[in-house]
């Protein structure tokens, strides 16, 4: 699209969010509001993409440039600074000096309407070009139009203008067709029209919506799907738009072959990938993760920024920034902390915490243990209640456990320490020195059994 550019209005403060974070940086199922919009914009191959920034502009600019989608749009992105937020009309005016003669059309998007689809935008652009109008507004019918600008049409249903909620009469407020905040304008006519708008309204702002009045050829094109043009002004809107996207993400996963039990209780973000034939049980939260096929996850598990192989089961557990292999079994009630790597067929059982450790194939840590800063080789059995004492009060130290070692219940391994292959450690031992391979270690006070005169006397006297 050589002669069509896009403008994203993102300068507003978002006062109604009552937050220090600029509105466009709020997260919606794993991506910021502006990132969602840029993903769609990228698909449309515009000549240029202008982003009007204002409130906390430097922060917004930096966050946008950090996203992967910005890298793909790198040569097209132009940031335009609106120093004072005088209104959406004023914001668009500032783009004029950046636009070249080649650009014949501008698609204008509101950064707080992030879920609009590329198909809807394509349709609006195509209707704008084929009907040769100066201005096209995307409208939608809403059961509850409160807060949106209303579309005013004449007796012949011809689009006339837009009136904002705050300035509308009671009669106009009954209108259910609203402005989505998405427009296509023909250039250069737009610039002349924008010069004519004034801040004569209750908000004392230059409304972009007022520009419509100054065009003789214009249309309002109705969008069929209200979900994709929902605007976010308050935290309540934010929750509603997250819910719209959450449902869509789950629907797509189910259509791709993932089983989701009680989807209304499951939250999966848009960065997560799950292979078919995996089953997600109720109450799971999965973000930024990749999960293989034939897994069973849940019920009630939290998985964040982790990789899970195939055929793995995770029950009632918390996993963060970890890599888990194939055919592992985790939980119930395990906590796997960052930088942990589990190879295949590892078993981590109830009330076990693993931190920054590498656990090799076939190893079992089944009950009530803490394993931190450790490297555990293949086929090791770690008994209930075993602790790697990795912290001396100042520094963290490593524990190494060789192949086939058998660590009895309630053992303390005081790091730094190396336990060789095939070592057996007796239950209740506190081991402080390296143990060579094939050794049996018992490190606990000798058990003493003595005849108890007092008790025996009391029990059997008289
Ligand atoms: C706007 C429309 C309204 C429409 C609704 C759809 C206007 C006057 N009204 O209302 O008709 O129904 O969107 O969601 O446009 N912005 C700037 N600079 C500013 C002011 C705003 O860049 O000085 C940006 C905002 O960041 C936002 C967009 O313009 O992305 C719309 O502004 P907002 O204040 O959210 O307008 P609404 O009241 O939602
Ligand atoms: Ca808005």
């Amino acid at each position: 699209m050589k002669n069509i550019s896009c403008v994203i209005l993102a300068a507003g403060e978002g006062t109604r969010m009552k937050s220090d974070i600029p509105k466009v940086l709020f997260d919606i199922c794993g991506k910021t509001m502006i990132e969602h919009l840029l993903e769609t914009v990228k698909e449309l191959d515009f000549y240029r993409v202008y982003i009007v920034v204002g409130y906390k502009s430097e922060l917004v600019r930096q966050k946008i440039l950090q996203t992967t989608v910005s890298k793909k749009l790198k040569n097209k992105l132009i940031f335009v600074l609106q120093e004072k937020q005088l209104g959406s009309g004023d914001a668009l005016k500032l783009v004029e000096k950046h636009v070249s003669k080649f650009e014949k059309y501008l698609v204008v998007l509101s950064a707080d309407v992030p879920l609009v689809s590329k198909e809807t935008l394509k349709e609006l652009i195509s209707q704008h070009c084929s009907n040769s109008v100066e201005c096209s507004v995307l409208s939608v019918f809403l059961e509850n139009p409160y807060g949106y600008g209303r579309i005013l049409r004449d007796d012949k249903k011809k689009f006339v203008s837009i009136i904002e909620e705050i300035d509308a009469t009671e009669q106009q407020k009954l209108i259910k067709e609203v402005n989505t905040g998405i427009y296509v304008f023909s250039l250069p006519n737009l610039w002349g029209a924008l010069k004519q708008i004034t801040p004569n309204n209750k908000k004392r702002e230059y409304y972009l919506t007022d520009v419509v009045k100054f065009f003789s050829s214009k249309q309002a094109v109705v969008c069929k799907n209200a979900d994709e043009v929902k605007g976010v002004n308050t935290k309540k809107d934010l929750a509603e738009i997250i819910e719209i996207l959450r449902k869509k993400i789950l629907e797509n996963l189910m259509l791709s072959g993932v089983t989701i039990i009680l989807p209304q209780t499951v939250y999966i973000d848009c960065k997560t990938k799950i292979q078919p034939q995996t089953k997600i049980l109720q109450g799971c939260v999965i973000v930024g993760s990749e999960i293989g096929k034939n897994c069973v996850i849940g019920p009630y598990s939290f998985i964040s920024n982790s990789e899970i192989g195939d055929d793995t089961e995770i029950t009632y557990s918390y996993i963060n920034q970890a890599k888990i292999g194939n055919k592992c079994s985790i939980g119930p009630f395990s906590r796997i902390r960052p930088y942990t790597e589990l190879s295949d067929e590892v078993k981590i059982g109830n009330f076990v915490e693993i931190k920054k450790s590498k656990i090799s194939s076939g190893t079992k840590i089944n009950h009530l243990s803490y394993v931190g800063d450790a490297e555990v080789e293949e086929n090791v059995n770690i008994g209930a209640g075993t602790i790697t004492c990795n912290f001396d009060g100042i520094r963290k130290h490593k524990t190494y456990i060789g192949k086939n070692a058998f660590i009895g219940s309630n053992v303390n391994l005081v790091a730094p320490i190396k336990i060789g292959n095939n070592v057996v450690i007796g239950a209740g031992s506190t081991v402080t020195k390296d143990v060579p391979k094939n050794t049996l270690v018992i490190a606990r006070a000798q058990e003493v059994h003595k005849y108890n005169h007092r008790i025996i006397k009391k029990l059997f006297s008289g």
Side-chain angles (χ1 to χ4, degrees):
M1 297 202 286
K2 274 260 173 304
N3 55 5
I4 309 185
S5 287
C6 173
V7 178
I8 301 176
L9 302 178
E13 188 180 335
T15 335
R16 288 165 280 181
M17 294 294 271
K18 298 190 171 40
S19 166
D20 291 343
I21 303 166
K23 183 161 68 176
V24 295
L25 298 184
F26 271 90
D27 183 274
I28 300 174
C29 300
K31 281 182 190 158
T32 61
M33 224 180 266
I34 187 83
E35 221 177 326
H36 279 291
L37 201 52
L38 286 171
E39 290 283 354
T40 308
V41 162
K42 181 195 77 196
E43 306 267 308
L44 288 169
D45 196 26
F46 288 111
Y47 176 65
R48 275 176 179 169
V49 177
Y50 303 96
I51 307 182
V52 185
V53 289
Y55 178 68
K56 297 205 175 171
S57 59
E58 204 32 49
L59 177 67
V60 174
R61 211 178 69 92
Q62 274 175 17
K63 291 278 180 199
I64 291 175
L65 290 174
Q66 279 165 13
T67 64
T68 44
V69 58
S70 296
K71 290 181 189 106
K72 289 174 197 143
L73 284 167
K74 208 165 66 191
N75 303 322
K76 295 183 178 181
L77 279 190
I78 295 176
F79 288 92
V80 178
L81 180 66
Q82 185 193 27
E83 283 186 30
K84 275 193 185 155
Q85 280 68 70
L86 302 176
S88 48
D90 176 72
L92 188 55
K93 258 190 225 170
L94 298 168
V95 175
E96 181 180 2
K97 58 177 177 291
H98 299 274
V99 168
S100 66
K101 275 190 242 126
F102 312 110
E103 294 161 82
K104 291 272 177 281
Y105 304 102
L106 271 192
V107 174
V108 177
L109 307 174
S110 300
D112 62 356
V113 184
L115 298 187
V116 61
S117 70
K118 67 169 191 290
E119 290 76 20
T120 298
L121 293 178
K122 269 188 187 163
E123 177 61 23
L124 185 68
I125 296 167
S126 124
Q127 291 214 31
H128 183 87
C129 297
S130 60
N131 295 338
S132 304
V133 287
E134 292 163 285
C135 157
S136 298
V137 175
L138 186 68
S139 72
V140 70
F141 282 87
L142 296 181
E143 239 353 275
N144 175 14
Y146 176 78
Y148 289 87
R150 307 295 203 280
I151 298 288
L152 305 183
R153 294 181 184 264
D154 65 14
D155 298 344
K156 290 180 187 137
K157 299 265 181 254
K158 204 171 166 305
F159 174 44
V160 178
S161 61
I162 301 169
I163 184 89
E164 291 304 298
E165 165 93 28
I166 191 171
D167 304 303
T169 63
E170 287 309 312
Q171 201 61 29
Q172 287 167 331
K173 281 183 189 163
L174 298 175
I175 297 170
K176 293 194 166 168
E177 187 181 10
V178 304
N179 169 26
T180 62
I182 294 168
Y183 320 79
V184 183
F185 296 107
S186 296
L187 300 181
N189 308 24
L190 170 67
W191 309 124
L194 273 176
K195 287 190 183 92
Q196 299 183 59
I197 60 174
T198 59
N200 287 335
N201 50 57
K202 290 214 176 112
K203 274 183 144 179
R204 312 302 303 158
E205 278 186 8
Y206 290 89
Y207 289 161
L208 174 54
T209 43
D210 281 349
V211 84
V212 169
K213 288 188 247 180
F214 304 107
F215 296 114
S216 48
S217 59
K218 59 196 161 199
Q219 60 181 359
V221 177
V222 182
C223 172
K224 299 267 167 14
N225 180 2
D227 279 355
E228 63 172 86
V229 288
K230 181 169 175 55
V232 179
N233 292 322
T234 63
K235 295 268 172 72
K236 183 171 174 276
D237 295 327
L238 183 72
E240 284 167 10
I241 206 162
I242 288 172
E243 180 58 6
I244 290 170
L245 190 56
R246 185 192 71 89
K247 278 187 181 156
K248 202 171 148 198
I249 291 168
L250 295 186
E251 255 170 50
N252 288 341
L253 282 169
M254 289 186 276
L255 292 176
S256 78
V258 176
T259 304
I260 302 180
I261 306 297
L262 283 186
Q264 62 271 38
T265 66
V266 172
Y267 176 92
I268 298 175
D269 77 350
C270 60
K271 286 190 179 150
T272 294
K273 294 197 178 94
I274 304 179
Q275 294 305 314
Q277 293 167 59
T278 277
K279 207 167 165 184
I280 311 292
L281 305 181
Q282 56 268 46
C284 290
V285 173
I286 308 173
V287 297
S289 297
E290 280 188 33
I291 298 178
K293 61 179 193 309
N294 289 322
C295 292
V296 180
I297 312 290
Y300 304 101
S301 292
F302 175 86
I303 301 175
S304 158
N305 297 306
S306 296
E307 268 176 54
I308 318 283
D310 301 334
D311 306 292
T312 282
E313 287 191 20
I314 298 172
T315 312
Y316 282 97
S317 290
Y318 180 101
I319 294 164
N320 185 17
Q321 289 181 62
K323 212 173 152 197
I324 290 166
N326 304 318
K327 297 186 179 158
C328 290
S329 164
I330 295 177
F333 314 112
S334 309
R335 180 176 179 206
I336 314 284
R337 292 173 52 192
Y339 313 113
T340 292
E341 267 185 61
L342 310 185
S343 302
D344 299 343
E345 297 181 52
V346 169
K347 275 193 81 179
I348 307 294
N350 38 233
F351 308 107
V352 172
E353 175 181 347
I354 313 275
K355 188 216 92 176
K356 207 177 176 184
S357 295
K358 228 174 133 189
I359 316 283
S360 296
S361 313
T363 286
K364 297 183 177 71
I365 312 173
N366 271 335
H367 334 265
L368 302 150
S369 288
Y370 170 68
V371 174
D373 303 299
E375 193 177 334
V376 183
E377 296 288 6
E378 288 157 39
N379 300 317
V380 169
N381 195 314
I382 296 191
T386 290
I387 308 287
T388 54
C389 310
N390 59 334
F391 188 46
D392 61 12
I394 300 165
R395 265 169 303 184
K396 298 279 169 67
H397 299 283
K398 292 205 165 132
T399 298
Y400 172 87
I401 303 176
K403 270 186 221 168
N404 306 319
F406 182 94
I407 316 292
S409 296
N410 206 26
V411 164
N412 300 312
L413 300 169
V414 182
I417 193 163
K418 280 190 178 151
I419 310 294
N421 295 347
N422 310 317
V423 163
V424 176
I425 302 182
S429 297
T430 294
V431 185
T432 59
K433 292 182 287 200
D434 289 356
V435 181
K437 64 181 179 187
N438 307 327
T439 308
L440 167 68
V441 186
I442 304 168
R444 61 188 183 218
Q446 184 105 42
E447 189 168 296
V448 180
H449 293 208
K450 281 190 179 170
Y451 187 74
N452 188 332
H453 294 278
R454 264 199 13 226
I455 293 201
I456 301 295
K457 223 166 131 190
K458 214 170 165 185
L459 285 175
F460 299 106
S461 64

